[in-house]
Amino acid sequence: MRLFRHEVRTQQLLFWRNKESAVFVFVFPPLLYLLLGAVYSGRIGGFPAADALLVGLVGYGCANTAFAGLAITLVIRREGGVLKRMRATPLPPATYLAAVLTSTLFIFVLQLLVTMTLGVVLYGASGPRNWLGLGCAVLLGVAAFAGLGFGAAALIRSSEGASAVVNLIVLPMAFLSGSFGPTRGYPAFLQAISDVLPLTYLIRILRVVYLGGGSFWSQPRGIVIVLAWGVVGLLIASRRFGWEPRER
Amino acid sequence: MSALEVRDLRKAYGAVEAVAGISFTVEQGEVFGLLGPNGAGKTTTVEILEGYRSRDGGEVTVLGVDPAHGGSALRERIGVVLQTSELPAALTVREVHRMFAGYYERPRDIDEVIGLVGLEEKAGARVKTLSGGQKRRLDLGIALVGDPELIFLDEPTTGFDPAARRGAWELVRSLRALGKTILLTTHYLDEAQQLADRVAVIREGLIVNIGSPADLIGVAPTVEIRYREAGRDVVIETDEPTRVLAGLTGAAVAAGRELESLEVVRPSLEDVYLDLIDGESDEAP
């Protein structure tokens, strides 16, 4: 437990001290919300635009923090030999990974609070109608996208390419899942892709609990699909993830 | 108990046998050098001892424990300096030491360690502002912060300028004075000669010679006697230099001649080393 607390603090220090990644991971989604919230008005998917975008950007923030940010960080640390160096210390790998996950969750929750406050104060967006449901959705989203993040880190071979590869996945996914605006006008084949993406379902769950005040458990199909993606990521990670640099 | 015991260690990558059955023992408080060219199997050997790699055969104990199953308890007692590993660029020297100190049950005092590796003036500086040599000293600092009994140094001065190498050597000597056991790999002869109590010369996964630097030179069979005669260089290799020299000089004095440019050369460790690593590989052109 002492090791775990020490490592969570260390991960926080590492995250906030690295300005570039802190801006990309932490500032970017709320910033996008500010921009899009100023552009859209009226209603999106039956909800006021400020509300729908708030939920969409929270979903994007989750994928950006737990999937993109985590995958890039892990690849850079692995290729730089940092993970290998950590393995020579008494810190157990499981404790290290648990601390990384906890730190990621903490960053995302902080980001969620910032985005929510911006929405409520600037755009008159509503606050969460079901706090407990929101909490469950956040845990689900971070767990699943972190699972995918570990999987992606296992597949990406070089730190130079990590950011490009990950954003090539996250940004189109966010567009297709309706993070940045309505998806109703999308052609059928894009809709079909959208229908299998985890972010689509995470955003649906967030709409139900945050905007509708419904129960988290009223969305069993969405929960299963999001979780299944996370499990796929973990399966890839368990087969392919290594602690040592790939390029030697 | 010996700090390290290695018996008939083997490791292959596919068809390539990186370590082909090597044995050595390192006593507590000893500085032991693994000397050999790149690709000889030094790093593979060390990484098996550090617990990074599995072995295909042989027996290994590190501080009395099999490193493949040593876990956290063994890692409490060893310090590792890898050939290449980056450290968090945005943290300060003191923060990196504090980060690593937190992983150990009984860490050394952080400022004491920073002083030991000579980074006092850089304690508050970000890692990214350090020079290459200073970064290697930081590597060493975080390897020492857990107060290990045994330290692995994998090519600690590769890429250093001469002044930085001297500095690193002083540091290794000061660790030795603290009673630490050190396993050092290097492809620099002078480094092995300067630092190691004993050296194993390793080539193509096998130890071709082992002993103190003086022993290694001592086992060289021949001494060279060189002089010039009638404009030609004459080289005589002998294992009886006194008798041969007496004959030569006696004849020259009797004839009233001077032996031009006369010298008696004992081979340096370098000659022995090059002989060991090159001389026997005639079958592989």
Side-chain angles (χ1 to χ4, degrees):
Chain A
M1 206 55 205
R2 177 189 68 81
L3 279 174
F4 176 74
R5 281 202 309 274
H6 173 76
E7 192 52 24
V8 172
R9 273 201 303 272
T10 300
Q11 293 300 322
Q12 283 293 310
L13 181 64
L14 289 170
F15 178 82
W16 296 107
R17 201 52 86 63
N18 184 346
K19 295 286 181 295
E20 295 84 357
S21 91
V23 166
F24 166 68
V25 169
F26 190 79
V27 180
F28 196 46
L31 189 69
L32 268 180
Y33 178 59
L34 279 183
L35 292 174
L36 292 169
V39 171
Y40 281 102
S41 57
R43 298 180 83 77
I44 297 173
F47 298 101
D51 281 0
L53 287 170
L54 174 57
V55 169
L57 267 301
V58 165
Y60 167 67
C62 184
N64 195 50
T65 307
F67 172 72
L70 183 65
I72 294 169
T73 303
L74 285 174
V75 170
I76 289 174
R77 287 183 188 168
R78 183 190 66 211
E79 294 305 310
V82 176
L83 293 185
K84 185 176 181 183
R85 185 67 189 76
M86 301 292 292
R87 290 272 275 168
T89 73
L91 180 70
T95 308
Y96 177 75
L97 293 177
V100 168
L101 264 181
T102 305
S103 174
T104 302
L105 177 67
F106 181 77
I107 292 160
F108 174 61
V109 168
L110 212 59
Q111 182 187 60
L112 170 73
L113 293 175
V114 168
T115 313
M116 246 162 53
T117 308
L118 284 175
V120 171
V121 172
L122 294 178
Y123 299 131
S126 45
R129 300 246 151 74
N130 175 355
W131 280 97
L132 182 65
L134 177 62
C136 291
V138 163
L139 284 180
L140 171 73
V142 168
F145 280 111
L148 284 168
F150 284 122
L155 294 177
I156 297 170
R157 304 188 70 84
S158 79
S159 35
E160 289 81 10
S163 176
V165 170
V166 160
N167 276 306
L168 204 62
I169 297 170
V170 168
L171 282 173
M173 174 171 74
F175 266 104
L176 292 174
S177 303
S179 282
F180 305 144
T183 57
R184 240 180 320 125
Y186 284 10
F189 79 99
L190 288 184
Q191 289 280 6
I193 299 174
S194 166
D195 281 346
V196 297
L197 295 175
L199 187 52
T200 303
Y201 294 92
L202 181 64
I203 290 173
R204 272 185 209 170
I205 295 169
L206 282 168
R207 280 184 182 172
V208 167
V209 297
Y210 188 106
L211 301 177
S215 155
F216 174 71
W217 300 108
S218 72
Q219 302 296 309
R221 182 158 167 270
I223 295 171
V224 168
I225 292 174
V226 174
L227 269 184
W229 276 98
V231 170
V232 168
L234 284 181
L235 282 178
I236 295 171
S238 69
R239 280 163 187 268
R240 300 286 296 274
F241 189 75
W243 296 78
E244 299 190 16
R246 288 281 169 79
E247 295 175 332
R248 277 192 281 167
Chain B
M1 184 193 69
S2 303
L4 285 170
E5 284 178 50
V6 178
R7 209 160 65 220
D8 198 28
L9 178 65
R10 287 168 191 278
K11 174 75 181 178
Y13 297 111
V16 182
E17 204 161 33
V19 178
I22 69 174
S23 305
F24 60 89
T25 303
V26 179
E27 299 305 328
Q28 307 231 359
E30 191 177 20
V31 179
F32 189 86
L34 278 178
L35 174 65
N38 291 331
K42 304 188 299 288
T43 296
T44 300
T45 303
V46 172
E47 291 196 339
I48 290 169
L49 298 176
E50 289 165 343
Y52 280 118
R53 248 163 258 306
S54 62
R55 57 185 187 266
D56 296 341
E59 281 172 44
V60 177
T61 60
V62 176
L63 301 172
V65 180
D66 182 341
H69 308 107
S72 293
L74 179 58
R75 293 196 188 98
E76 287 280 350
R77 301 167 65 198
I78 63 172
V80 170
V81 177
L82 299 170
Q83 259 179 55
T84 53
S85 69
E86 289 167 20
L87 290 166
L91 264 49
T92 66
V93 167
R94 183 175 283 113
E95 284 168 338
V96 173
H97 277 89
R98 193 178 299 132
M99 168 184 168
F100 277 87
Y103 301 142
Y104 296 88
E105 298 272 352
R106 292 170 304 278
R108 287 177 75 107
D109 180 71
I110 290 168
D111 289 310
E112 193 188 324
V113 174
I114 294 173
L116 190 65
V117 296
L119 286 173
E120 302 98 325
E121 286 169 21
K122 290 285 177 183
R126 300 279 173 97
V127 171
K128 62 185 156 201
T129 66
L130 301 181
S131 71
Q134 288 166 339
K135 280 183 181 156
R136 291 301 273 171
R137 278 191 266 160
L138 178 59
D139 273 335
L140 194 52
I142 60 171
L144 294 177
V145 83
D147 200 17
E149 298 160 48
L150 168 65
I151 302 163
F152 295 97
L153 298 175
D154 200 0
E155 302 195 357
T157 66
T158 297
F160 276 26
D161 65 41
R165 290 185 76 203
R166 296 277 162 187
W169 289 357
E170 281 311 310
L171 206 53
V172 173
R173 291 194 187 105
S174 63
L175 295 180
R176 186 174 184 278
L178 290 173
K180 307 293 185 195
T181 309
I182 297 172
L183 181 71
L184 166 90
T185 77
T186 182
H187 52 244
Y188 298 122
L189 287 151
D190 51 346
E191 187 157 291
Q193 206 164 5
Q194 289 283 334
L195 298 179
D197 298 310
R198 285 189 307 137
V199 178
V201 180
I202 178 168
R203 182 179 72 100
E204 289 172 14
L206 287 167
I207 290 178
V208 290
N209 212 331
I210 191 164
S212 71
D215 286 343
L216 290 189
I217 297 171
V219 300
T222 57
V223 169
E224 287 177 1
I225 298 168
R226 300 180 191 172
Y227 59 98
R228 284 176 73 80
E229 187 171 50
R232 281 181 34 243
D233 285 320
V234 179
V235 179
I236 301 170
E237 289 189 4
T238 175
D239 49 7
E240 295 176 293
T242 313
R243 194 183 59 75
V244 174
L245 204 55
L248 268 176
T249 50
V253 169
R257 285 187 292 119
E258 185 60 37
L259 290 170
E260 268 180 78
S261 311
L262 173 67
E263 53 181 350
V264 180
V265 185
R266 284 183 65 74
S268 67
L269 181 56
E270 181 143 355
D271 297 325
V272 177
Y273 169 69
L274 292 175
D275 225 33
L276 286 170
I277 64 169
D278 295 332
E280 297 170 24
S281 57
D282 298 337
E283 76 278 8

